Amino acid sequence: RHSGMTLQEYHETIERSTTIYVGNLSYYTTENQIIDFFSRCGEVKRVIMGLDKFQKTPCGFCFVEYYTQDDTEAACRYLNNLRLDDRQIRLDRDPGFVEGRQYGRGKS
């Protein structure tokens, strides 16, 4: 909750959101693979690939945005913990993509 929202505001925002955070992606998974996979639950509005902060290369996460909350909920319910590109992916509802969030933390 680095956004300055209260816990209640955060939960309300999550409920209205049509964005999903996708973790544990292979660095080699393409945007088209993600669109194909997530289209099982509805029309995908856009995909924002996570990038290494310094190299600007894929770094194992992305954001998937749907047009509707119902599709977002279905994806979280039915696609979480499934395998994509030989990796078990993790999905979380997200309060919404904001420019700059596509960059990972870099090497630690």
Side-chain angles (χ1 to χ4, degrees):
R1 291 186 317 270
H2 299 286
S3 62
M5 288 187 258
T6 66
L7 188 58
Q8 181 177 345
E9 289 169 333
Y10 176 80
H11 286 291
E12 289 169 359
T13 301
I14 288 288
E15 288 298 314
R16 290 189 310 268
S17 177
T18 57
T19 303
I20 298 171
Y21 172 88
V22 182
N24 201 38
L25 280 178
S26 165
Y27 290 7
Y28 303 104
T29 302
T30 67
E31 188 172 329
N32 284 338
Q33 285 175 287
I34 293 166
I35 291 169
D36 288 345
F37 185 83
F38 283 90
S39 290
R40 298 174 186 183
C41 291
E43 187 177 356
V44 174
K45 183 175 182 180
R46 70 178 175 159
V47 172
I48 299 102
M49 298 296 289
L51 302 173
D52 177 276
K53 185 185 276 186
F54 305 107
Q55 303 294 323
K56 307 296 189 258
T57 55
C59 65
F61 73 93
C62 74
F63 298 92
V64 174
E65 206 174 312
Y66 283 99
Y67 285 96
T68 71
Q69 293 172 7
D70 288 342
D71 293 346
T72 306
E73 182 61 36
C76 287
R77 180 176 295 127
Y78 300 118
L79 303 179
N80 190 31
N81 294 316
L82 293 184
R83 295 185 83 74
L84 173 60
D85 211 9
D86 259 351
R87 301 282 301 242
Q88 184 176 0
I89 59 169
R90 179 174 173 211
L91 309 182
D92 288 303
R93 296 284 297 259
D94 190 85
F97 175 75
V98 176
E99 188 63 38
R101 289 190 62 210
Q102 73 269 32
Y103 298 114
R105 295 184 204 110
K107 296 189 194 290
S108 50

